[in-house]
C-alpha cells in the first residue's frame, strides 16, 4: 500500500537580514514577490504539495488560518524595489543545499524572477554542514540560502522558537533573524 499524507516539511529561503542591501525590508519584499510560487508547486513539485505561507506547517496546531502569503508579482516586486533606501548594486548569492534537485530548481526559479526586476544573482550550491556552519555569523553567511525544514515534534515552538527566537542568534536555528 502507498499512503499519501501531508507532511510537516517546508521549503525555506533564508535571507541574511544583517547585510546590505538585504537589510532593507523593501528589498526583501521585492525578493518575495519575485519568486514564482505556483511554478514551484505545480511545475517542479508536480502539484503534490500545498502552499504554506507561514513559518510553520499548515497542518500543525497554531497555524494562523488567515495568513496571506506573497504572490508572484513582478510589478509589485519592482514597486517594492523602487521604495528601497538600499540599492541592489552587487551580485546577490543564492546558496541551495547540495543533494536536493528541488533546492537547485528553487534557486533557478528565484534567479529567474530576480533577473526580471534587475537583480543579478549567482547560484552557489553548498553542503548542509557548510551552510549551517556559515549561518552562525553574518559575514560568512550567504545572502540567501535554500533548504528544507522538517518538524521533529508536533509543536509550533519547534519551528518558531528554534528558528526565529533571538536567543538562538549566532546559530543556524535563527539564521534568518540573525543572518
Amino acid at each position: 500500500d502507498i499512503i499519501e499524507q501531508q507532511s510537516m516539511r517546508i521549503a525555506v529561503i533564508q535571507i541574511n537580514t544583517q547585510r546590505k542591501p538585504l537589510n532593507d525590508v523593501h528589498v526583501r519584499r521585492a525578493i518575495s514577490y519575485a519568486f514564482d510560487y505556483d511554478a514551484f508547486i505545480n511545475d517542479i513539485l508536480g502539484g503534490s504539495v500545498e502552499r504554506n505561507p507561514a513559518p510553520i506547517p499548515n497542518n500543525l496546531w497554531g497555524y494562523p488560518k488567515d495568513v496571506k502569503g506573497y504572490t508572484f508579482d513582478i510589478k509589485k516586486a519592482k514597486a517594492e524595489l523602487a521604495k528601497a533606501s538600499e540599492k541592489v548594486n552587487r551580485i546577490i548569492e543564492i546558496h541551495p543545499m547540495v543533494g536536493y534537485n528541488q533546492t537547485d530548481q528553487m534557486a533557478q526559479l528565484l534567479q529567474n524572477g530576480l533577473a526580471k526586476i534587475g537583480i543579478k544573482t549567482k547560484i552557489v550550491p553548498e553542503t548542509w554542514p557548510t551552510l549551517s556552519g556559515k549561518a552562525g555569523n553574518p559575514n560568512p553567511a550567504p545572502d540567501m540560502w535554500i533548504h528544507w525544514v522538517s518538524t521533529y515534534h508536533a509543536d509550533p515552538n519547534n519551528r518558531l522558537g528554534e528558528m526565529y527566537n533571538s536567543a538562538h542568534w549566532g546559530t543556524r536555528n535563527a539564521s534568518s533573524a540573525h543572518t
Side-chain angles (χ1 to χ4, degrees), residues 56-70:
I56 61 174
N58 58 12
N59 60 347
L60 183 61
W61 67 273
Y63 180 84
K65 300 296 181 194
D66 60 343
V67 69
K68 300 261 189 260
Y70 286 91

Side-chain angles (χ1 to χ4, degrees), residues 13-168:
I13 299 175
Q14 303 280 20
I15 298 176
N16 186 333
T17 62
Q18 301 299 304
R19 185 181 300 141
K20 293 181 181 187
L22 302 172
N23 62 334
D24 188 308
V25 68
H26 296 291
V27 172
R28 295 192 306 270
R29 286 179 184 159
I31 290 167
S32 297
Y33 281 121
F35 186 78
D36 192 340
Y37 302 92
D38 290 338
F40 179 63
I41 290 168
N42 297 317
D43 300 335
I44 294 173
L45 297 178
S48 64
V49 300
E50 289 185 26
R51 175 76 193 280
N52 193 86
I56 61 174
N58 58 12
N59 60 347
L60 183 61
W61 67 273
Y63 180 84
K65 300 296 181 194
D66 60 343
V67 69
K68 300 261 189 260
Y70 286 91
T71 57
F72 177 56
D73 191 324
I74 295 300
K75 187 176 179 180
K76 285 184 181 178
K78 287 180 179 180
E80 285 293 337
L81 209 51
K83 293 178 191 176
S85 59
E86 294 291 340
K87 299 306 171 198
V88 184
N89 55 9
R90 66 176 178 84
I91 295 173
I92 302 295
E93 289 189 359
I94 305 169
H95 294 238
M97 188 169 64
V98 169
Y100 296 89
N101 288 338
Q102 295 162 345
T103 59
D104 293 333
Q105 292 169 320
M106 283 177 70
Q108 292 166 355
L109 194 61
L110 180 58
Q111 183 179 49
N112 182 53
L114 293 176
K116 291 178 181 179
I117 63 170
I119 296 178
K120 294 179 183 175
T121 60
K122 177 181 178 183
I123 296 175
V124 183
E126 293 199 272
T127 63
W128 172 248
T130 302
L131 284 173
S132 61
K134 287 181 174 182
N137 185 317
N139 293 324
D143 291 319
M144 291 187 279
W145 56 296
I146 301 172
H147 63 102
W148 291 90
V149 177
S150 296
T151 211
Y152 301 111
H153 313 287
D155 183 342
N157 187 56
N158 180 243
R159 299 281 175 117
L160 299 175
E162 298 277 326
M163 291 178 63
Y164 301 101
N165 186 328
S166 61
H168 294 287

